[in-house]
Amino acid sequence: MTALTADPPSPALRARRLPLASAALLLAVLALSLALGARPLSPTAVWQGLTDPAAPAYDVVHGMRLPRTLLGLLAGAALGLAGGVMRALTRNPLADPGLLGVNAGASAAVVTVSAVFGLSGFGGAVWFAFAGAALVAVLVHAVGGGRTATPARLVLAGTAVNAALFSYVSAIELVDTDALDRMRFWTVGSLASAQLGTVAAMTPFVVAGLVLALALARPLGALALGEDSARALGSRLPATRAGATLAVTLLCGAATAACGPLVFVGLLTPHLVVRFTGPDPRRQLPYCALFGPVLLLGADVLGRLVARPGEVQVGVVTAVAGGLLLLALVCRRGVVA
């Protein structure tokens, strides 16, 4: 007697379910970020803290958890989408803003101006973060071979530049104790010092990068077929590359200036998303912007819970999880071919 098994859902059914499931997952993580921490709050207390200035939880929710949650939402969307754009642009499953040194470039620029000019805060750092991210993106592409760059060479070039820049950041902080005090949590990668002013200042840059990245989804999809095929389809490759670099610079520069160099979010997000959407950037990129905040805020909530009443900074949690994933990926045959 043959056992009865349920047929797997059709692609059309999965396509209808995925937006609802993604939105529900994001809302759940947002709620957990507002409710959990050193002092857990019930859903009722969270709602009252959001809406009633006289509620006991109002100061906790509005002063700490709401800015932190909104910052994680923006930074996660920025890093997740930047990872998807870099993966599509380089056709490399290991293409990540952190792995290819873009976040390290922004970090090195911010630490330099903090040590030299004493600048701090998002407004003082963001333009230098953009400059550092853009410079390193161009440098890695050039060192990796320019037009002849292969995925493996880009990863090697990015890893070398990344290591050199983080060594530079460490040296600056060891020499300048004032810079170390100012940047201690920032260089680890943290959402703990989030403020609504930072969220408001960061939003235009992230929105601009998001709109540009999504507008490039179709030409990036053509590029995935190969440069000759992309040209035959009418894609302007120099404009596509320049636009993608600008989008990644806006997204990574804003996220790094606000939160510090958060690694592996841009690597993890596309790998999870592609299992549900397939490789087409037109479907993949919007979901990268949705799942990036899920990963980042989930890691932040986990960091608050594992060391209560203290916390583990979100940059440490994403580094550990991302490092394990990277080991699994490089052990798979052909992952950087």
Side-chain angles (χ1 to χ4, degrees), residues 205-303:
F205 299 106
V206 175
V207 170
L210 188 147
V211 170
L212 179 58
L214 295 180
L216 290 170
R218 186 178 293 275
L220 286 173
L223 184 60
L225 301 175
E227 294 191 1
D228 293 336
S229 298
R231 290 191 185 95
L233 292 171
S235 179
R236 295 180 295 175
L237 298 186
T240 299
R241 291 194 181 98
T245 301
L246 177 59
V248 170
T249 300
L250 285 169
L251 294 168
C252 292
T256 303
C259 308
L262 296 168
V263 297
F264 289 121
V265 176
L267 175 65
L268 284 161
T269 303
H271 271 282
L272 293 176
V273 168
V274 75
R275 297 176 180 271
F276 302 100
T277 65
D280 187 350
R282 290 174 296 178
R283 284 182 50 80
Q284 186 184 135
L285 293 182
Y287 287 104
C288 284
L290 280 176
F291 277 87
V294 171
L295 288 176
L296 185 58
L297 287 172
D300 187 46
V301 171
L302 179 61

Side-chain angles (χ1 to χ4, degrees), residues 101-158:
V102 177
N103 288 348
S107 177
V110 172
V111 169
T112 299
V113 299
S114 176
V116 175
F117 302 111
L119 295 178
S120 61
F122 182 85
V126 63
W127 300 110
F128 296 97
F130 288 150
L135 181 61
V136 170
V138 173
L139 176 63
V140 168
H141 186 70
V143 172
R147 290 181 176 270
T148 63
T150 64
R153 291 176 66 180
L154 284 174
V155 170
L156 291 173

Side-chain angles (χ1 to χ4, degrees), residues 151-244:
R153 291 176 66 180
L154 284 174
V155 170
L156 291 173
T159 302
V161 172
N162 194 54
L165 289 175
F166 274 117
S167 297
Y168 166 78
V169 169
S170 298
I172 290 290
E173 292 180 337
L174 288 174
V175 171
D176 189 339
T177 56
D178 291 336
L180 175 61
D181 290 337
R182 285 194 301 270
M183 311 297 288
R184 181 181 302 157
F185 289 110
W186 184 89
T187 52
V188 174
S190 175
L191 302 177
S193 59
Q195 298 177 353
L196 288 176
T198 300
V199 174
M202 177 185 178
T203 299
F205 299 106
V206 175
V207 170
L210 188 147
V211 170
L212 179 58
L214 295 180
L216 290 170
R218 186 178 293 275
L220 286 173
L223 184 60
L225 301 175
E227 294 191 1
D228 293 336
S229 298
R231 290 191 185 95
L233 292 171
S235 179
R236 295 180 295 175
L237 298 186
T240 299
R241 291 194 181 98

